[in-house]
């Protein structure tokens, strides 16, 4: 069966916020499991509430774009892009950055190419919109997929205060 016959893609709406929030929480739970650690459940719940509010604000304002993968009328994967105002650069005209985040595929649907399908769709939309670059932070599980797509580490540095 061809991928496009088994799965459909659509843009998320405000009514999809509960699934997007659940996927983000599951993403962090999966990362913690892979790293053999545990996130404080209260902090995960607090993060989920803040993320719900974030989505309620940004989806209607079109400062966040989310894509869903659906199988048998069930959302089985999702990913988001937040558009962040950024410092102008002589290298490009766009003063926004595209930050991809909250990419998640339900466990029973992993290994079927859905992350790649989702990421390709997000990146195609960004390219069409005039973005020259997309950024993300990768989990250990996601890194090989993103690298295969051409994502590369850059010169960014971070100081935790």
């Amino acid at each position: 069966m061809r991928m496009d016959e088994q799965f459909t893609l659509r843009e998320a709406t405000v009514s999809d916020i509960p699934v997007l929030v659940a996927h983000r929480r599951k993403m962090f739970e999966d990362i913690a499991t892979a790293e053999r650690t545990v996130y404080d459940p209260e902090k995960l719940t607090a993060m989920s509430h803040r993320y719900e509010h974030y989505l309620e604000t940004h989806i209607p304002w079109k400062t966040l774009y989310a894509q869903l993968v659906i199988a048998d009328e069930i959302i089985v994967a999702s990913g988001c892009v937040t558009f962040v105002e950024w410092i102008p650069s002589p290298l490009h005209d766009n003063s926004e950055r595209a930050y991809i985040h909250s990419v998640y595929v339900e466990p029973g649907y992993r290994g079927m190419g859905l992350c790649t399908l989702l990421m390709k769709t997000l990146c195609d939309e960004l390219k069409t919109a005039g973005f020259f670059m997309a950024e993300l932070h990768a989990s250990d599980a996601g890194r090989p997929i993103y690298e295969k797509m051409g994502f590369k580490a850059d010169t960014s540095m971070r100081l935790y205060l």
Side-chain angles (χ1 to χ4, degrees), residues 146-157:
Y146 305 137
E147 287 174 344
K148 188 174 181 181
M149 293 182 68
F151 281 82
K152 297 184 182 351
D154 68 7
T155 58
S156 180
M157 296 176 69

Side-chain angles (χ1 to χ4, degrees), residues 3-14:
M3 175 100 46
D4 57 346
E5 292 174 349
Q6 188 175 4
F7 301 100
T8 57
L9 290 123
R10 74 167 171 81
E11 184 175 353
T13 66
V14 171

Side-chain angles (χ1 to χ4, degrees), residues 1 20 66 68 75 83 105 116 118 127 143 149 158-159:
M1 188 177 290
L20 294 170
L68 309 172
I75 299 169
F83 305 108
V105 178
T116 301
L118 184 59
K127 189 173 182 181
R143 187 170 288 106
M149 293 182 68
R158 183 173 296 142
L159 171 66

Side-chain angles (χ1 to χ4, degrees), residues 100-161:
I100 298 172
H101 60 92
S102 307
V103 176
Y104 185 77
V105 178
E106 292 285 350
Y109 292 87
R110 293 178 185 164
M112 302 172 82
L114 295 184
C115 183
T116 301
L117 173 67
L118 184 59
M119 289 297 297
K120 183 177 178 344
T121 302
L122 291 173
C123 291
D124 287 348
E125 290 285 338
L126 292 171
K127 189 173 182 181
T128 298
F131 285 86
F132 81 102
M133 175 183 65
E135 298 177 83
L136 57 75
H137 286 90
S139 67
D140 289 342
R143 187 170 288 106
I145 296 167
Y146 305 137
E147 287 174 344
K148 188 174 181 181
M149 293 182 68
F151 281 82
K152 297 184 182 351
D154 68 7
T155 58
S156 180
M157 296 176 69
R158 183 173 296 142
L159 171 66
Y160 291 94
L161 304 173

Side-chain angles (χ1 to χ4, degrees), residues 16-46:
D16 299 307
I17 288 174
V19 174
L20 294 170
V21 171
H23 278 184
R24 184 166 174 84
R25 182 181 181 125
K26 289 178 189 179
M27 177 190 75
F28 280 110
E29 290 170 343
D30 287 355
I31 290 169
T33 299
E35 294 176 353
R36 298 179 192 265
T37 187
V38 176
Y39 285 110
D40 179 338
E42 289 181 16
K43 288 186 178 184
L44 281 172
T45 298

